[in-house]
């Protein structure tokens, strides 16, 4: 075991919280300072004689939060006799290369890329294997969800000498450039609402014009502010646009966390939260005000299920454990994922994908411009069939499945589809209310991981 | 065909000399300027309907010089109906990111890495495939020798979506860290001399002490300067050390270019130049002065085969087409290749591998420190069996074969050994004096390349 860590109760089990010093820049030699990156280790079930290591490729947030929301790894640790490692992504949580200055300008942000993060992971795995007694020949499997799922897949693609395989859950590796239609994402969100209650998606589609009508007068803005219990009242049309964006994001988030049981991922929520929300949204033909009062009741369920919120804040849509600043910068550089709506195949206000507008905004915000096709040049886009040992799992309810791999590419690039699953449901803890589809998905994932481990063992 | 290029006679055939604008930094978004990189295209034999592209991954020198010394590609172009592309490596030849300032300090040198060079190649191939009519589905094969051979192999490993395979000729991808013994390199040089004439390697082994004796007096230094026809006379022991280094490098270079026919790679030389050199070095038991007079005659053959040199310059050992500055920087950063001698298994003065001394020198020279194990973390060291479609060819006479792959790793990571070959002999033009071993090596290389091309064609 690495020494000097602090023991913490993180969710289910005791983990050791450790730090490792990385180079701030793996790809250049002028900047040779290091920074401390946090990682968590749990070895209760690890077979010390080269038992496997499940390595969580941290994504855009605090690693303890991801650790708590990746119960799958805890559930399989005993069966696989595996050590669990959760590595925090640079520029998130406590792993800030320049401390409080990390987000101050484009110079300090320059080292926030997926390539640097993968290099961090590679160096960390090598360090663990060389420093932990009995781990030298431990097969390592990368596991991640969402952006972390992309990282897990890319980690296997770029560093196959470091990880024997990857479980990439809900990883939209094809949500780039023109690989998939930009509208599918929002049409999946819409379908989730359509299926969850009569009149539900239509009510939401009608809500936008209702807001537009009301926000054209000061009295209407005042009414909206009161009705939605907003912390800061709406003052003008621009504020009304912020309200609409916030509502849109709320519906998207609900689609992502539409889990079959009570859970607390982005927010504390009941089982099948979209069904609960849709109970308020049965009649799309109501008057503007009646419709929006229902919309408030719907979003209030998302933001205030615990009843603790005294007002609703349109600048926040999810847990503060996510690193919004860092992710905003990443979407302004590498992680350019085209999305669009047409109001016909989806329940949203029509909005074209506008790269130039994004580029201008990024230049203004961060002093950088996004590179639309770089991720494809780097990671291969759809032309990835020479790689091996990657599971791409996707939930049918999850809008991010629009950019995911949902059909087998080869015998060893396997797509697992979970029709009743939302965003990386398979990575969550076992639950009595789990649909059969996610139970089977996990069984297949475990089976394939065991095969990789066996193959790796025989190669020694 | 890309437009706007300048037609030039480069060696055998007409090529189009073109430029492409690359990002100076592929891995960060703060530096977003571009630079013009040179590449050469020859499409006389190309089958315009998605015929293959042979892509030379340029290494540490002027690309026209490599183009002239890679006759193999020209020889196979017609048979494979292939387009030839020779891409210049950034910071070499005319492809200088910051013009004359490129080598001015560690800031300007910061973008000279193998990772940036590979990203250049990937982006260039994608550009060529999208801009040349009929090339969209052209299978691309990377070909390179020496450091360029490493780049070819790494290009396939890291960008398998861009190149269907790689021919890595004389690529010492394992001459890093502790993967191979540091002494093998010089023992191969020594064997070349031992086999090429009685008394030859012993004469060279004895020459070091002879120089040490003579350089202990001013008269001796004067005698050495005169005897070796040096352009600048030796003044002290330090200069004598430079003389010895220069002689060592000369013997190494001779081992690299010990070709079976008259050639002009590093210098114009006769066939089997070591045999010629050894004709002067038959008697190791001569007096110091008599021995060193013979050593002079030997090195004079290397430096003055044409008879044009009026004096010998100990600061130069090979063609000026190689970019010494850039390569020096690269060996001070990523390309740390441990070498050592013991004077027993080799004919050189004993010298241990001293990383700390190298690190100090690099800090003094360039303001950077080498990272000993980074190349292994990045490219996998000996753990590369999950990759495919790479030919590693090595010559038995070539000291760099010490760090090369000389045994098959898998069915599709194939080692080709050419016992009578020096440094990437297989990449040179066919020659009537070619030994059978290189003819067979080339036949196998061509056969495997055809297989890759066929497989790629069927996947469409």
């Amino acid at each position: 075991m690495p020494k000097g860590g602090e023991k913490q109760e993180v969710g289910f089990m005791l983990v050791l919280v450790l730090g490792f010093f990385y180079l701030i820049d793996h790809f250049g030699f002028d900047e040779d300072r290091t920074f401390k990156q946090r990682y968590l280790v749990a070895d209760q079930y690890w077979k010390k004689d080269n038992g496997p290591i499940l390595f969580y490729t941290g994504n855009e947030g605090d690693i303890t939060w991801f650790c708590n929301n990746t119960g799958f790894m805890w559930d399989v640790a005993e069966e696989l006799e595996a050590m669990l490692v959760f590595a925090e992504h640079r520029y998130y949580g406590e792993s800030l290369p320049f401390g409080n200055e990390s987000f101050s300008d484009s110079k300090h942000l320059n080292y926030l890329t997926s390539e640097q993060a993968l290099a961090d992971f590679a160096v960390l795995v090598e360090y663990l294997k060389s420093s932990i007694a009995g781990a030298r020949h431990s097969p390592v499997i990368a596991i991640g969800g969402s952006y972390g799922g992309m990282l897990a897949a890319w980690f296997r693609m770029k560093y196959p000498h470091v990880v024997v395989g990857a479980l990439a859950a809900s990883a939209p590796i094809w949500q780039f450039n023109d690989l998939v239609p930009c509208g599918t994402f929002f049409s999946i969100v819409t379908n989730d609402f359509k299926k969850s209650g009569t009149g539900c998606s239509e009510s939401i589609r009608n809500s936008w014009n209702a807001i537009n009508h009301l926000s054209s007068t000061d009295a209407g803005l005042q009414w909206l502010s009161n009705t939605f219990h907003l912390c800061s009242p709406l003052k003008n049309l621009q504020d009304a646009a912020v309200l609409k964006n916030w509502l849109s994001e709320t519906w998207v988030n609900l689609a992502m966390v539409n889990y079959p049981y009570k859970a607390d991922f982005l927010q504390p929520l009941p089982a099948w939260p979209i069904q609960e929300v849709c109970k308020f949204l049965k009649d799309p033909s109501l008057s503007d005000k009646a419709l929006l009062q229902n919309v408030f009741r719907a979003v209030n369920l998302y933001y205030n299920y615990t009843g603790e919120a005294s007002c609703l804040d349109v600048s926040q849509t999810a847990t503060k454990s996510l690193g919004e600043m860092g992710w905003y910068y990443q979407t302004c550089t590498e992680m350019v994922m085209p999305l669009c709506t047409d109001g016909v195949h989806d329940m949203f206000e029509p909005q074209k994908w506008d790269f130039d507008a994004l580029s201008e905004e990024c230049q203004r915000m961060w002093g950088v411009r996004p590179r639309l096709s770089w991720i494809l040049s780097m990671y291969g886009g759809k032309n990835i069939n020479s790689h091996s040992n990657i599971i791409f799992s996707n939930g049918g309810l999850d809008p991010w499945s629009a950019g995911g791999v949902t059909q087998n590419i080869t015998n060893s690039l396997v797509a697992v589809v979970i029709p009743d699953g939302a965003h990386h449901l398979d990575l969550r803890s076992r639950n009595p209310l789990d649909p059969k589809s996610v139970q089977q998905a996990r069984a297949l994932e475990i089976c394939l991981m065991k095969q990789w481990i066996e193959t790796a063992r025989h190669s020694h």
Side-chain angles (χ1 to χ4, degrees), chain A:
Chain A
M1 262 328 296
K3 291 280 175 0
E6 180 195 341
K7 281 230 156 111
Q8 279 185 16
E9 191 102 25
V10 175
F12 317 92
M13 285 165 94
L14 266 184
V15 299
L16 212 52
V17 181
L18 293 144
F20 182 67
F21 285 92
Y22 290 102
L23 282 163
I24 287 175
D25 189 5
H26 293 285
F27 300 105
F29 288 75
D30 188 46
E31 170 62 75
D32 66 351
R33 286 175 291 176
T34 57
F35 75 103
K36 194 175 167 193
Q37 191 152 22
R38 183 165 56 150
Y39 65 98
L40 316 178
V41 174
D43 67 350
Q44 292 87 330
Y45 293 116
W46 185 53
K47 191 175 113 219
K48 290 200 167 49
D49 177 22
N50 294 317
I53 296 173
L54 304 185
F55 186 91
Y56 185 87
T57 48
N59 35 320
E60 71 280 21
D62 186 298
I63 194 62
T64 59
W65 181 67
F66 288 118
C67 180
N68 273 329
N69 279 282
T70 313
F72 172 73
M73 285 170 63
W74 299 90
D75 287 341
V76 301
E78 188 169 5
E79 183 177 350
L80 298 180
E81 299 179 297
M83 184 191 306
L84 308 185
V85 178
F86 297 84
E88 192 159 68
H89 191 297
R90 52 168 60 201
Y91 287 86
Y92 294 100
E94 296 182 1
S95 301
L96 304 176
F98 302 101
N100 293 335
E101 298 292 298
S102 298
F103 298 93
S104 57
D105 56 30
S106 66
K107 287 244 171 303
H108 289 85
L109 279 159
N110 194 46
Y111 310 99
L112 171 50
T113 65
S114 62
E115 292 86 351
Q116 299 276 8
L118 293 179
D120 290 342
F121 296 155
V123 172
L124 176 58
V125 169
E126 290 182 341
Y127 164 72
L128 294 174
K129 290 178 77 164
S130 67
S131 64
I132 299 176
R136 180 161 299 278
H137 301 299
S138 287
V140 182
I141 293 173
I143 298 182
S146 197
Y147 167 51
M150 301 197 217
L151 292 173
W154 295 338
F155 196 19
R156 170 64 187 168
M157 293 182 197
K158 293 292 183 183
Y159 297 86
H161 52 290
V162 176
V163 286
V164 301
L167 169 54
S170 298
I173 62 164
W174 290 344
Q175 192 69 49
F176 292 94
N177 213 333
D178 55 359
L179 294 189
V180 296
C182 59
T184 310
F185 179 95
F186 284 99
S187 72
I188 293 173
V189 178
T190 303
N191 275 334
D192 291 349
F193 283 80
K194 202 180 274 177
K195 285 187 300 189
S196 298
T198 314
C200 193
S201 64
E202 293 82 356
S203 294
I204 293 170
R205 187 182 281 116
N206 291 348
S207 71
W208 312 115
N209 265 335
I211 295 172
N212 291 343
H213 295 153
L214 283 157
S215 55
S216 63
T217 67
D218 285 347
L221 287 166
Q222 181 66 46
W223 184 89
L224 286 167
S225 307
N226 292 339
T227 301
F228 279 93
H229 293 226
L230 300 185
C231 302
S232 314
L234 308 176
K235 297 215 173 66
N236 48 42
L237 277 176
Q238 218 175 327
D239 289 350
V242 170
L243 172 70
K244 289 191 288 183
N245 269 331
W246 173 75
L247 288 171
S248 290
E249 278 188 49
T250 306
W251 309 133
V252 167
N253 285 352
L254 274 161
M256 285 168 61
V257 298
N258 195 24
Y259 296 129
Y261 46 79
K262 199 172 170 217
D264 177 3
F265 184 51
L266 301 179
Q267 297 279 357
L269 286 172
W272 297 117
I274 296 185
Q275 286 182 18
E276 297 303 314
V277 156
C278 284
K279 287 179 183 164
F280 303 117
L281 299 169
K282 290 178 174 165
D283 187 355
S285 64
L286 292 175
S287 71
D288 288 349
K289 286 191 173 175
L291 185 68
L292 291 174
Q293 276 164 337
N294 286 343
V295 168
F296 163 71
R297 292 162 75 198
V299 297
N300 193 52
L301 184 138
Y302 177 78
Y303 288 107
N304 200 13
Y305 185 59
T306 59
E308 284 168 13
S310 57
C311 60
L312 302 190
D313 177 0
V314 295
S315 71
Q316 188 78 31
T317 60
T319 170
K320 286 187 175 146
S321 294
L322 283 168
E324 288 189 357
M325 294 258 284
W327 187 244
Y328 189 177
Y329 174 83
Q330 288 197 265
T331 60
C332 268
T333 47
E334 291 187 312
M335 307 302 291
V336 190
M337 293 185 272
L339 296 175
C340 62
T341 50
D342 63 10
V344 179
H345 301 90
D346 56 65
M347 64 188 188
F348 296 89
E349 282 195 300
Q351 185 148 27
K352 285 205 164 57
W353 161 244
D354 186 345
F355 177 75
D356 293 335
L358 173 73
S359 183
E360 286 308 312
E361 185 188 310
C362 294
Q363 178 63 37
R364 202 170 56 242
M365 275 298 296
W366 303 104
V368 296
R369 291 199 181 272
R371 296 176 187 163
L372 189 56
S373 60
W374 169 242
I375 285 284
L376 303 188
S377 299
M378 188 66 195
Y379 299 115
K382 292 204 167 177
N383 188 3
I384 55 176
N385 62 356
S386 70
H387 299 289
S388 61
N389 293 5
I390 307 177
I391 304 166
F392 296 97
S393 67
N394 278 286
L397 308 178
D398 180 16
W400 290 111
S401 68
V405 179
T406 53
Q407 297 202 309
N408 287 6
I409 297 173
T410 66
N411 281 342
S412 97
L413 296 179
V414 176
V416 171
V417 176
I418 307 160
D420 307 312
H423 204 42
H424 47 65
L425 173 63
D426 48 336
L427 290 193
R428 301 185 63 78
S429 292
R430 270 194 290 266
N431 189 292
L433 296 172
D434 275 332
K436 183 73 183 152
S437 62
V438 76
Q439 294 171 6
Q440 284 181 186
R442 290 191 189 119
L444 177 53
E445 289 162 6
I446 294 167
C447 181
L448 291 169
M449 289 196 292
K450 283 181 178 172
Q451 281 180 19
W452 302 339
I453 293 165
E454 269 314 293
T455 306
R457 198 157 282 156
H458 286 296
S459 79
H460 273 291

